[in-house]
Amino acid sequence: MEPEEKIQAHVLSIWKESRGFLSGKGKEGMLILTNRRLLFIKKTEAGIKWWGAVRTRQTVRLLQSKDVMVVEDGYGEEKLRTDLENKKNQKISFDNILYIEAKEKVWGTVLFLDIIEDGKEKKFQFSVVQDWVKYPISAPMKYLKVDWSRFVKYIQDKRIVTK
């Protein structure tokens, strides 16, 4: 993480899925937007008590005001720097984002993202989850309808696409 890199938005309870034929199962994590890139944090050092409290607060806030461009308390650049040491966490440069768009579905709002990673084009979708089922495996039960517009615009304004 670069010294001048700052968190612009921090969204918990994100369900990430690959799009395409035989895409496999999804993953839970956090989506963090900095002034330099987009990050999907699957493995975090943040405590479970913090996660639970902030997730509940985020759900209440998103039910009132749907804007995802918020930075959550208790997770700053230092914790992000620690989490980025784990290779399982995904780092996406703005310039590697080919396509980004949010679409409203009946069940929730989806952020679609096409990126270049390791020289290959990959397609993902991200959704904010309100409720989870934990058994037999963790999976989303209810999604939120959120406003990704400022999030999308921030990325579009920062990226330089050369396809």
Side-chain angles (χ1 to χ4, degrees), residues 104-162:
E104 190 82 19
K105 302 288 184 181
V106 173
W107 47 268
T109 313
V110 183
L111 179 68
F112 292 99
L113 200 66
D114 294 359
I115 66 167
I116 295 288
E117 188 175 70
D118 300 327
K120 297 178 186 171
E121 187 174 340
K122 296 184 178 181
K123 298 177 182 231
F124 298 105
Q125 64 183 42
F126 300 91
S127 305
V128 182
V129 177
Q130 180 177 347
D131 291 322
W132 298 87
V133 61
K134 294 293 181 189
Y135 182 82
I137 58 170
S138 182
M141 207 166 74
K142 185 175 182 185
Y143 297 89
L144 286 170
K145 290 189 177 187
V146 298
D147 182 3
W148 289 105
S149 60
R150 289 191 332 140
F151 194 94
V152 169
K153 182 167 180 11
Y154 189 91
I155 292 172
Q156 288 173 333
D157 289 349
K158 293 279 186 176
R159 70 188 176 133
I160 301 169
V161 178
T162 55

Side-chain angles (χ1 to χ4, degrees), residues 3 37 48 72 82 87 139 150:
R37 57 193 166 170
I48 195 156
E72 296 296 347
T82 301
K87 301 295 181 210
R150 289 191 332 140

Side-chain angles (χ1 to χ4, degrees), residues 94-109:
F94 291 144
D95 294 341
N96 288 343
I97 297 174
L98 302 173
Y99 169 81
I100 183 168
E101 181 184 24
K103 289 187 181 176
E104 190 82 19
K105 302 288 184 181
V106 173
W107 47 268
T109 313

Side-chain angles (χ1 to χ4, degrees), residues 29-30 32 39-44 75 80 83-84 89:
M30 300 184 285
I32 298 176
L39 308 159
F40 180 72
I41 306 297
K42 184 173 104 172
K43 298 290 184 187
T44 183
Y75 189 94
L80 178 58
D83 284 345
L84 288 177
N89 294 326

